Amino acid sequence: MKYEFTIIVPVYNEEDNLQRVEQELTNYMKIATKKTKILFVNDGSKDKSQQLIEKICTNNSDFTFIQFKQNCGLSAAITAGFKHTNTELVGYIDSDLQTAPEDFNLLLAQIGEYDLVTGVRSNRKDTFVKNMSSTIANGIRRAFTHDGMDDTGCPLKVIKTEYAKKIPMFKGLHRFLPAMILLQNGKIKQIPVQHFPRIAGEAKYGLWNRLLGPLIDCFAYLWMKKKYINYEIAKKN
């Protein structure tokens, strides 16, 4: 059966989580509503993540990987995943598994009418500082983009690949995926998903990344929006 859906899993120093990632995604593929494959994107990890990824991929043909020579950041990892996807649909989940792979089925159930469906983390299990900084950052971003999204940082999304491949890469991209779909005249939707505390490994973002960084990225987005060219091909041979 031909694959229909690719899940991108960015990885940066997540050796303590990868065994659980393998198990959770293997379990999900048994109940997935679309024939699913997994694409690890190793963002220049300095621990044993690559060794574990290669072992997982050797043992399971539904798992594949690409490895960066050096750390380039989450946005680069997601964009590389988009470019290496050859299925009709592409998804994204963080390797910390604070969201549940099974909730992809909720997003997939809505994607037919939409071009991006994103999760909204219900009852978030993060620290007060992380929750507050995220709330403020989302408010700032909405004021700039008018995308209407409450939680663009939610690491659970499904996108039609034809739209994902047209998204230009820039630092902070992962916070603007819905807005970039709107620039293509696409339709977007958000639905509630589960959220869990981080069990292993360390968070990669501090207050700067969650609050001040996104504010600067908003100005970059405005520049890009002004310069963005949206085209449709009428005929080809």
Side-chain angles (χ1 to χ4, degrees):
M1 183 177 176
K2 184 180 178 182
Y3 291 111
E4 303 167 286
F5 179 42
T6 300
I7 298 176
I8 298 167
V9 186
V11 176
Y12 180 60
N13 295 341
E14 292 285 1
E15 62 180 7
D16 294 331
N17 273 318
L18 284 171
Q19 185 175 0
R20 191 164 67 95
V21 169
E22 176 187 16
Q23 186 61 56
E24 291 289 333
L25 288 173
T26 298
N27 290 341
Y28 169 69
M29 287 190 286
K30 296 175 183 177
I31 63 168
T33 55
K34 300 284 186 181
K35 177 63 175 174
T36 302
K37 63 189 294 188
I38 310 300
L39 174 60
F40 288 114
V41 182
N42 184 358
D43 183 21
S45 295
K46 296 178 174 61
D47 61 0
K48 296 180 181 179
S49 290
Q50 183 60 27
Q51 295 170 243
L52 294 171
I53 288 171
E54 292 188 22
K55 182 179 179 181
I56 292 169
C57 294
T58 298
N59 293 336
N60 193 325
S61 60
D62 294 325
F63 288 76
T64 58
F65 74 86
I66 57 177
Q67 179 187 20
F68 287 176
K69 288 185 177 180
Q70 59 192 26
N71 177 246
C72 296
L74 179 58
S75 295
I78 292 173
T79 305
F82 289 164
K83 293 186 182 303
H84 285 79
T85 293
N86 55 13
T87 53
E88 181 180 354
L89 299 172
V90 59
Y92 149 54
I93 190 171
D94 275 354
S95 49
D96 60 16
L97 289 183
Q98 286 192 257
T99 49
E102 64 204 58
D103 284 347
F104 272 122
N105 283 350
L106 300 176
L107 277 59
L108 289 169
Q110 302 291 328
I111 195 64
E113 184 181 348
Y114 296 91
D115 304 301
L116 174 146
V117 183
T118 181
V120 178
R121 291 168 285 190
S122 300
N123 191 21
R124 286 185 63 173
K125 302 298 191 298
D126 288 322
T127 64
F128 174 79
V129 172
K130 185 174 180 180
N131 282 335
M132 283 302 297
S133 60
S134 180
T135 298
I136 295 170
N138 273 302
I140 294 171
R141 190 211 68 258
R142 279 197 305 272
F144 277 80
T145 66
H146 305 289
D147 61 11
M149 298 288 102
D150 297 315
D151 184 17
T152 59
C154 179
L156 199 73
K157 292 178 172 63
V158 173
I159 312 173
K160 288 180 179 173
T161 303
E162 63 178 303
Y163 284 82
K165 286 183 178 291
K166 292 180 182 178
I167 297 174
M169 184 175 72
F170 61 95
K171 192 173 182 180
L173 159 74
H174 56 283
R175 303 183 186 97
F176 294 89
L177 291 175
M180 297 306 298
I181 299 302
L182 289 177
L183 284 185
Q184 299 179 51
N185 298 321
K187 296 175 64 178
I188 61 178
K189 184 175 184 177
Q190 59 182 0
I191 59 176
V193 296
Q194 303 173 83
H195 190 246
F196 307 94
R198 176 184 269 272
I199 294 177
E202 297 180 357
K204 308 302 186 293
Y205 296 96
L207 184 61
W208 168 266
N209 304 90
R210 297 193 189 101
L211 189 55
L212 300 179
L215 175 59
I216 295 173
D217 293 339
C218 282
F219 290 101
Y221 167 78
L222 288 182
W223 178 88
M224 184 171 297
K225 181 179 180 180
K226 184 177 181 180
K227 300 292 184 179
Y228 189 80
I229 299 174
N230 190 36
Y231 65 88
E232 295 181 36
I233 296 175
K235 186 184 294 186
K236 66 178 181 179
N237 186 359

